[in-house]
Amino acid sequence: MTKISSIQDTEILRPVSSGRSTTTAVVGLQWGDEGKGKLVDILAPHHSAVVRFNGGANAGHSLVVHGERMAFHLVPCGVLHPGVRPVLANGVVIDPDKLIEELDILAERGIDTGTLAISDRAQIVMPYHKQEDALRERLLSSDGDTAAIGTTGRGIGPAYAEKAARATAVRAGDLVRPDVLRDRVNKACLMKHSMFDAGGLDALDAGALIDKALAWGERLGAHICDTSALLNAMLGSGNPVLFEGANATLLDVDHGTFPFVTSSNASAMGIPAGAGVAPRHISNVIGVVKAYCTRVGGGPFPSELHDKTGGLIRERGREYGTTTGRPRRCGWLDLVALRYAVVLNGVDRIALTLLDVLSGFDELQVCTAYKLDGKLLDHMPSDADDLSRVEAVYAPMTGFDGDLSGVRSRADLPSEAQRYIAFIEEHAGVPVDFIGVGADREQSILS
Ligand code: IMP
């Protein structure tokens, strides 16, 4: 059982009631990997459910289970807290093999996941979606250009595309409806035949895939239910609900740096549709921001550092992908992108993470504007080509030094670090009221 630490009593962690319901939403404001998991883990004990509403096994968060740090991809962060119901809502795409693997690991360590609720409407990532993902990336990069997205290879895009295509999509509820399942998988295999053939892949074996999916249904069937009804009942009876965003705003399929994005609405706007709750329930949005920027995969990144400083941030911040192990691209904090994400999500407050990683630099740079074709821009262009051509305009700031991991109050931070935070608040227009100064949950400043 997870030890509930002293910081759990802090007022700021309590969910906010809108009068009708009590919720908290945690979303990433950059390109992912902002440290959302740690915040969700701290907030979870104040809620009755932790809900994933988007993405799939492309997300990665580290959980400390009995002192051992482990990477999870699908199981919601709240799973370690007894009495908090983990929910995989309809907007999630589920790779059942990955989910079962994670449930097995937790069971081996004595953690009860019996209350896990899986939406019957959630899409299933079939093995052919992962093959399709790899094939698309191979074809996109075959002529040596940079069109490949650099996906996590988890079949996310093809699974969401199948959902939009409708009749061949397998939903979690279909795993326990053999007739529907057979029909859908047979049709999907038929439709994919020519693509797989042209891509030099082996023909799909529909029978084997159906057997595999039926076995998933036997294993996961008891968890599958109407999670929208479940959540609305919880909200209606005053139970606080925490929404856990995966991936992040700048990877949002509609509002991110398209086409270098993931395939779901990874911002707070994804919550109502992805969880099956009305927009009026989303009232307390915490945007998670790294003290610098990282990105993994392709796409524009105006404040990227290609020099020694970028390498230093990568090593200090251990910036390697949780899901793929890929080195992350690193750069200075981009306040233009941050302002965009704050507005888009209706962010109420910011959680600033990994401030400790910036300790030790004589000078820090913060991107405050872009220059495009000689003109100054104070907003993010909507077109990825334009964004890839902008030049970042920086404000230099004096760096700070020293070990921050033991600091528990904002006033005890070096004055330059306090100025850095105040500068972010001024530009973002919302308060920073959570500051991460180390990996452990205790290494946090709550104001
Ligand atoms: P996909 O979600 O696997 O299709 O990948 C699309 C893009 O989003 C790639 O650039 C990935 O590296 C990126 N991506 C997806 N999920 C995450 C995440 O959780 N953190 C960081 N990058 C992500």
Side-chain angles (χ1 to χ4, degrees):
M1 190 179 298
T2 310
K3 187 175 153 279
I4 305 297
S5 62
S6 51
I7 58 169
Q8 300 295 1
D9 292 330
T10 312
E11 186 57 35
I12 179 187
L13 298 176
R14 304 209 186 285
V16 175
S17 172
S18 68
R20 287 190 174 114
S21 54
T22 309
T23 59
T24 307
V26 173
V27 288
L29 299 187
Q30 295 159 316
W31 283 286
D33 312 310
E34 295 93 350
K36 298 179 285 289
K38 174 176 152 179
L39 185 64
V40 171
D41 191 38
I42 292 173
L43 291 165
H46 295 281
H47 297 80
S48 303
V50 178
V51 185
R52 276 279 305 267
F53 59 89
N54 77 300
N58 52 354
H61 45 245
S62 305
L63 294 183
V64 180
V65 185
H66 298 321
E68 199 186 334
R69 188 168 289 279
M70 287 185 292
F72 287 87
H73 303 280
L74 272 165
V75 169
C77 283
V79 74
L80 299 182
H81 300 280
V84 181
R85 190 150 196 192
V87 178
L88 292 174
N90 57 282
V92 177
V93 288
I94 298 174
D95 174 347
D97 279 336
K98 262 266 149 289
L99 178 59
I100 289 167
E101 188 186 308
E102 293 182 6
L103 294 177
D104 285 348
I105 291 173
L106 291 167
E108 271 166 32
R109 283 157 176 82
I111 290 157
D112 180 17
T113 53
T115 61
L116 172 71
I118 301 173
S119 170
D120 54 356
R121 297 179 174 97
Q123 293 298 307
I124 297 297
V125 178
M126 296 294 288
Y128 41 74
H129 293 137
K130 288 183 264 186
Q131 292 176 276
E132 220 177 304
D133 198 355
L135 176 61
R136 292 180 67 90
E137 287 287 278
R138 174 156 64 80
L139 295 178
L140 283 171
S141 54
S142 59
D143 55 0
D145 71 13
T146 52
I149 293 165
T151 71
T152 58
R154 295 290 169 95
I156 306 299
Y160 278 113
E162 199 86 63
K163 171 179 177 173
R166 297 156 296 177
T168 50
V170 175
R171 309 209 296 184
D174 301 332
L175 299 180
V176 290
R177 297 194 299 163
D179 290 346
V180 178
L181 180 73
R182 278 191 200 97
D183 180 54
R184 294 191 167 208
V185 175
N186 278 325
K187 281 186 185 140
C189 290
L190 189 70
M191 295 208 190
K192 289 178 197 303
H193 179 75
S194 49
M195 185 203 341
F196 273 54
D197 197 33
L201 301 179
D202 289 343
L204 292 168
D205 180 346
L209 287 162
I210 291 164
D211 288 346
K212 190 172 180 52
L214 287 171
W216 289 334
E218 269 173 42
R219 171 67 200 269
L220 299 173
H223 297 280
I224 297 171
C225 61
D226 181 346
T227 57
S228 170
L230 173 83
L231 292 173
N232 282 306
M234 287 179 104
L235 291 168
S237 49
N239 288 293
V241 172
L242 174 59
F243 298 100
E244 175 188 349
N247 328 124
T249 304
L250 302 179
L251 292 171
D252 184 288
V253 66
D254 284 289
H255 302 284
T257 51
F258 191 88
F260 301 98
V261 292
T262 189
S263 300
S264 66
N265 286 119
S267 59
M269 281 179 285
I271 300 173
V277 299
R280 71 179 190 202
H281 292 304
I282 316 308
S283 57
N284 173 29
V285 180
I286 305 179
V288 188
V289 184
K290 249 183 219 189
Y292 47 95
C293 275
T294 62
R295 164 157 219 176
V296 58
F301 181 175
S303 61
E304 182 169 12
L305 288 164
H306 298 280
D307 58 4
K308 224 172 71 197
T309 307
L312 215 54
I313 293 177
R314 181 176 309 110
E315 292 319 308
R316 288 190 187 166
R318 290 189 291 277
E319 293 293 354
Y320 295 88
T322 319
T323 303
T324 59
R326 290 179 290 179
R328 295 180 185 139
R329 300 156 62 191
C330 298
W332 295 122
L333 183 63
D334 182 342
L335 291 177
V336 183
L338 179 60
R339 280 195 299 266
Y340 171 73
V342 163
V343 170
L344 207 60
N345 286 284
V347 166
D348 293 292
R349 44 213 182 110
I350 285 178
L352 184 70
T353 58
L354 293 139
L355 183 67
D356 51 304
V357 174
L358 289 188
S359 181
F361 288 99
D362 291 339
E363 191 176 74
L364 304 171
Q365 305 285 339
V366 185
C367 170
T368 52
Y370 300 147
K371 228 182 214 171
L372 181 64
D373 300 329
K375 285 197 195 102
L376 215 54
L377 285 188
D378 64 356
H379 64 275
M380 252 188 130
S382 55
D383 181 73
D385 284 338
D386 286 344
L387 190 62
S388 67
R389 292 193 303 113
V390 305
E391 190 191 318
V393 177
Y394 291 108
M397 298 199 71
T398 310
F400 44 89
D401 211 356
D403 178 6
L404 307 188
S405 63
V407 180
R408 294 293 172 267
S409 141
R410 189 159 156 174
D412 292 337
L413 284 168
S415 58
E416 297 81 5
Q418 292 185 44
R419 264 200 293 280
Y420 190 74
I421 298 163
F423 194 70
I424 295 171
E425 289 178 321
E426 194 186 308
H427 280 258
V430 285
V432 170
D433 58 12
F434 172 99
I435 303 160
V437 288
D440 290 346
R441 85 171 65 188
E442 301 288 337
Q443 292 170 333
S444 310
I445 300 172
L446 308 165
S447 52

